[in-house]
């Protein structure tokens, strides 16, 4: 089979290579999956560069969320059948034609949900469900500011916020990305290329300040976000695409808002049943059409290094997926 491997730390297009290896064999308690779609995310880029909080090494294979068809069962596996389509979250390794995974950690995809849609759910939508429901305690009628809103986590935040009864204020740059925001149903759309200082627009749209901010961007954007916070608001720290900002805490005191860290991955070992609950909830929502991840035109499997490079260079929008 073919699999992508990292030669050494650096940009994905330069350091990932597609190689031939023996196909894996499922051990007891595992299933063999013929891959159909792999979701790619910014942490994959950071891992290729050696910059992610979980250290990667040469030989690393990106791709932590995948969907495919069960091709074989290891000894002792029950409740899963050959031929079923399943989705799973792994530490990495999805960019391979075949993978093995623990049978008790795969989730059967409902009929009518395409493979690329299922592969777009685990990281972005589970992170966002955890952020909005557990960390922000989002309530119906509240307002949510979303930065980097045309990306995978941003579009997930728009759809889940609206499903929870909130009003969404989405910020992105350029006509294409603004179009994505309108397509996914954002209530208020702000193009930061046309309105570089968009704080006043957010304050006006939210009646003085937002209840919740969902910020995967960081950097200078974080400082605009904090100026948008309303009294008793919750500023969710999702990530740092634009760098890690320095922050003076007196601003939070003056406006009595909270800065709330969101590390979904670290929550999973602390709450072992949470992933299953989140995935079942989200797959049911996908089957019902309540969520529908907007996809950047899918890349072929043999273009995965280009897909990751385009993601790194912020040329994509929605969710980036490689298909087989």
């Amino acid at each position: 089979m073919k699999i992508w491997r990292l030669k050494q730390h650096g940009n994905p297009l330069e350091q990932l290579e597609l190689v031939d290896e023996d196909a894996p064999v499922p051990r007891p308690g595992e299933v063999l999956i013929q891959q159909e779609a792999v979701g790619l995310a910014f942490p994959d880029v950071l891992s290729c560069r050696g910059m992610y909080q979980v250290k990667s090494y040469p030989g690393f294979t990106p791709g932590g969320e995948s969907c495919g068809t069960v091709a074989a069962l290891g000894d002792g596996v029950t409740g899963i059948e050959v031929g079923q389509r399943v989705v799973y979250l792994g530490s990495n390794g999805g960019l391979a034609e075949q993978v093995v995974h623990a049978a008790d950690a795969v989730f059967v995809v409902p009929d009518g949900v395409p493979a690329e849609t299922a592969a777009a759910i685990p990281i972005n939508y589970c992170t966002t469900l955890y952020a909005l429901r557990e960390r922000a305690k989002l309530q119906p009628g509240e307002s949510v500011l979303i930065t980097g809103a045309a990306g995978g986590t941003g579009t997930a935040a728009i759809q889940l916020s609206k499903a929870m009864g909130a009003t969404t204020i989405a910020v992105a740059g350029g006509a294409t990305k603004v179009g994505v925001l309108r397509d996914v149903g954002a209530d208020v759309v702000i193009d930061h290329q046309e309105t570089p200082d968009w704080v006043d627009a957010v304050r006006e749209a939210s009646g003085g300040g937002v209840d919740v901010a969902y910020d995967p961007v960081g950097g200078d954007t974080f400082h605009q976000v904090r100026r948008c916070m309303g009294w008793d608001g919750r500023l969710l720290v999702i990530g740092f695409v634009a760098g890690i900002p320095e922050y003076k805490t007196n601003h939070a005191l003056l406006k009595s808002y909270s800065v709330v860290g969101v590390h979904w991955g670290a929550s999973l070992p602390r709450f072992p049943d949470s992933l299953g609950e989140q995935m079942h909830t989200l797959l049911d929502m996908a089957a019902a059409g309540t969520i529908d991840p907007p996809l950047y035109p899918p890349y072929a499997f043999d273009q995965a290094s280009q897909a990751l490079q385009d993601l790194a260079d912020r040329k994509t929008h929605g969710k980036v997926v490689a298909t087989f």
Side-chain angles (χ1 to χ4, degrees), residues 80-318:
I80 299 289
E81 299 178 3
V82 171
Q84 283 186 311
R85 175 175 283 166
V86 295
V87 61
Y88 67 92
L89 177 73
S91 57
N92 283 296
L95 282 177
E97 290 179 323
Q98 292 185 320
V99 299
V100 292
H101 198 72
D104 60 2
V106 301
F107 307 96
V108 176
V109 178
D111 292 341
V113 178
E116 57 268 28
T117 296
I121 287 175
I123 293 176
N124 290 339
Y125 282 80
C126 287
T127 295
T128 303
L129 185 64
Y130 171 71
L132 296 176
R133 189 177 62 181
E134 271 69 56
R135 302 298 289 144
K137 310 294 185 186
L138 181 64
Q139 300 298 311
E142 291 190 313
S143 57
V144 182
L145 167 64
I146 302 154
T147 62
T153 55
T155 50
I158 293 170
Q159 292 185 345
L160 288 174
S161 295
K162 290 182 67 65
M164 296 170 73
T167 298
T168 54
I169 304 169
V171 180
T176 298
K177 292 184 178 182
V178 163
V180 171
L181 304 186
R182 294 199 171 101
D183 287 344
V184 297
D187 297 295
V188 178
V189 174
I190 299 173
D191 185 342
H192 66 68
Q193 292 183 359
E194 293 186 357
T195 311
D197 188 2
W198 37 264
V199 173
D200 288 342
V202 173
R203 288 173 175 165
E204 181 178 356
S206 59
V210 296
D211 298 299
V212 174
Y214 181 102
D215 180 31
V217 179
D220 291 339
T221 297
F222 175 87
H223 297 295
Q224 289 178 287
V225 169
R226 65 180 178 82
R227 293 169 56 208
C228 297
M229 297 308 299
W231 182 265
D232 203 27
R234 290 86 76 201
L235 197 169
L236 300 173
V237 179
I238 307 297
F240 312 105
V241 173
I244 300 175
E246 293 186 1
Y247 174 57
K248 295 183 179 180
T249 56
N250 64 311
H251 191 263
L253 183 151
L254 293 173
K255 299 187 73 174
S256 196
Y257 65 86
S258 303
V259 178
V260 183
V262 178
H263 193 171
W264 167 69
S267 76
L268 298 180
R270 291 170 170 82
F271 305 100
D273 296 331
S274 62
L275 178 60
E277 185 277 328
Q278 292 162 1
M279 285 299 301
H280 288 302
T281 295
L282 292 165
L283 287 169
D284 287 345
M285 293 175 76
T290 306
I291 61 172
D292 184 14
L295 303 176
Y296 194 76
Y299 293 80
F301 170 65
D302 61 5
Q303 297 175 313
S305 62
Q306 184 66 62
L308 285 166
Q309 191 63 50
D310 288 348
L311 183 61
D313 295 338
R314 303 179 74 173
K315 294 180 178 179
T316 63
H317 52 76

Side-chain angles (χ1 to χ4, degrees), residues 47-103:
S47 293
C48 288
R49 292 173 171 170
M51 298 171 62
Y52 195 52
Q53 56 252 42
V54 179
K55 188 68 174 174
S56 63
Y57 299 93
F60 165 80
T61 297
E65 48 192 338
S66 302
C67 181
T69 300
V70 176
L73 307 177
D75 290 343
V77 173
T78 59
I80 299 289
E81 299 178 3
V82 171
Q84 283 186 311
R85 175 175 283 166
V86 295
V87 61
Y88 67 92
L89 177 73
S91 57
N92 283 296
L95 282 177
E97 290 179 323
Q98 292 185 320
V99 299
V100 292
H101 198 72

